[in-house]
Amino acid sequence: MNQHCPEGFEQLPVLLLQHGGLSSLTGKTGLAMLRHRRGPIAAVIDPDHANGSLEKITGIARKVPIVGDLAAALPYGPAVAVVGLAPSGGVLPGPVRRDALAALQAGLSLASGLHTQLAEDPDFKAACHAGQWIWDLRQEPPSVQVGQARAAALSCQRVLAVGTDMAVGKMSACLALQAAAERQTLECRFVGTGQAGILISGRGVPLDAVRVDYAAGAVEAAVLEAGLGLSAQDLLVVEGQGSLCHPGSSATLPLMRGSQPTALLMVHRACQSTIGRLPEVLLPPLKECISLCESLAAVARPQGSGPPPKVQAVALNTAELSPEEAQRSIESCQDALGLPCDDPIRNRADGLLKVFLNR
């Protein structure tokens, strides 16, 4: 029954409950963990792909066994079962609920980013005994306050990812920047703002669980905590959520207000011209999206907090393109905007990192 990240979670061997999600957008949380989690992943439960190759199914080059049920997963030694799905309505499908409950009964702990609070479910509560925990991370932090632009006083550089749509790769771009910084032995911290980012890093704020009046303040508190002790040469990257272009999204403004960024990273899926699940909603030209984000990020800033943040680079998601198409798209975007542009997953983020370090 934990609200905060359990101590040591990042290094515990986890079991991903991914039923049907290895080849579906509903499994994006687990897929993100498979791609980015640094700690061990003992096994994945997905009956649709049991005994298959993770790399062939997902394209993720990680050796993790795929099994059909909990009994087959236990010999791999997991300590925590993690709900890797984001089902519509936040309610666990029957097979996932069965394995999650069986995991608790087998002595594992349980982590979930669903809106449904599993620790309040009588069956799960009864199955969780001494030494175990249920981490429902999608909860509003205690003692939330209204934002006060306090993050502007931090010494470190703060990069906020903004996007043209939901699910275009904002979290992945931020984690790629962090990995690039660490390859150069530079200090770079990541602030997760969604369930996958928090599960991967063990740090952050579940923004969509916070009441709108306190959203900027909750981001501010998470950024202040993450930025503690960082110097002017250090980097803090903040995971973006949603998009100003999406008619159902309200996340970008509190992220801007709360993080008080010194720079913006625009994330866009190559060749996308409409909102992904709302094809009747056209995306503005990328140059207009950049201008809009810069205009909004320039206000609600304290005096003396430095120049207003600019989009300094574009992270282009080219996952659906061939290598040749991807390179042409990257070059075209760079020429059209006059900004550095690259795919930080396909090509790694070392080039983009240099932009934010002014090197």
Side-chain angles (χ1 to χ4, degrees), residues 160-168 170 240-257 264-267 275 278 281-299 311:
L160 170 65
V162 292
T164 54
D165 196 1
M166 298 181 180
V168 290
K170 295 180 286 293
Q241 293 293 329
S243 171
L244 292 169
C245 304
H246 196 295
S249 175
S250 58
T252 303
L253 277 177
L255 283 164
M256 287 178 172
R257 303 295 181 252
L264 303 172
L265 172 66
M266 175 60 71
V267 187
I275 293 296
L278 296 170
V281 180
L282 295 175
L283 286 178
L286 195 51
K287 187 171 285 188
E288 291 183 17
C289 293
I290 288 172
S291 296
L292 174 62
C293 287
E294 290 179 342
S295 296
L296 289 171
V299 298
V311 171

Side-chain angles (χ1 to χ4, degrees), residues 24 84 205-206 268:
S24 166
V205 56
H268 175 63

Side-chain angles (χ1 to χ4, degrees), residues 133-217:
W133 40 260
I134 298 174
W135 179 26
D136 282 316
L137 66 90
R138 218 170 195 154
Q139 298 185 59
E140 184 176 88
S143 305
V144 288
Q145 299 179 351
V146 173
Q148 301 172 55
R150 292 180 296 159
L154 289 170
S155 299
C156 61
Q157 299 177 71
R158 299 173 301 283
V159 177
L160 170 65
V162 292
T164 54
D165 196 1
M166 298 181 180
V168 290
K170 295 180 286 293
M171 180 199 70
S172 293
C174 287
L175 289 170
L177 277 178
Q178 184 186 37
E182 291 179 354
R183 285 193 292 271
Q184 298 184 36
T185 65
L186 301 173
E187 182 70 27
C188 179
R189 297 177 188 169
F190 167 83
V191 179
T193 58
Q195 58 172 319
I198 296 170
L199 283 166
I200 289 165
S201 67
R203 181 198 299 273
V205 56
L207 185 57
D208 64 0
V210 181
R211 289 167 289 174
V212 66
D213 284 356
Y214 302 108

Side-chain angles (χ1 to χ4, degrees), residues 48-235:
D48 292 353
H49 299 288
N51 303 313
S53 162
L54 182 71
E55 185 167 7
K56 288 182 180 178
I57 296 164
T58 66
I60 299 171
R62 186 168 189 162
K63 294 188 181 300
V64 179
I66 305 170
V67 300
D69 56 27
L70 181 73
L74 290 177
Y76 293 99
V80 184
V82 177
V83 177
L85 301 177
S88 178
V91 178
L92 281 180
V96 187
R97 179 183 175 87
R98 180 198 64 220
D99 279 333
L101 189 56
L104 284 171
Q105 293 166 340
L108 279 67
S109 293
L110 181 64
S112 168
L114 301 180
H115 285 291
T116 302
Q117 303 296 295
L118 300 185
E120 302 304 316
D121 184 296
D123 293 336
F124 285 91
K125 188 180 293 187
C128 189
H129 301 296
Q132 294 174 268
W133 40 260
I134 298 174
W135 179 26
D136 282 316
L137 66 90
R138 218 170 195 154
Q139 298 185 59
E140 184 176 88
S143 305
V144 288
Q145 299 179 351
V146 173
Q148 301 172 55
R150 292 180 296 159
L154 289 170
S155 299
C156 61
Q157 299 177 71
R158 299 173 301 283
V159 177
L160 170 65
V162 292
T164 54
D165 196 1
M166 298 181 180
V168 290
K170 295 180 286 293
M171 180 199 70
S172 293
C174 287
L175 289 170
L177 277 178
Q178 184 186 37
E182 291 179 354
R183 285 193 292 271
Q184 298 184 36
T185 65
L186 301 173
E187 182 70 27
C188 179
R189 297 177 188 169
F190 167 83
V191 179
T193 58
Q195 58 172 319
I198 296 170
L199 283 166
I200 289 165
S201 67
R203 181 198 299 273
V205 56
L207 185 57
D208 64 0
V210 181
R211 289 167 289 174
V212 66
D213 284 356
Y214 302 108
V219 171
E220 180 177 282
V223 169
L224 286 171
E225 181 182 356
L228 190 65
L230 292 182
S231 72
Q233 288 72 46
D234 299 327
L235 198 61

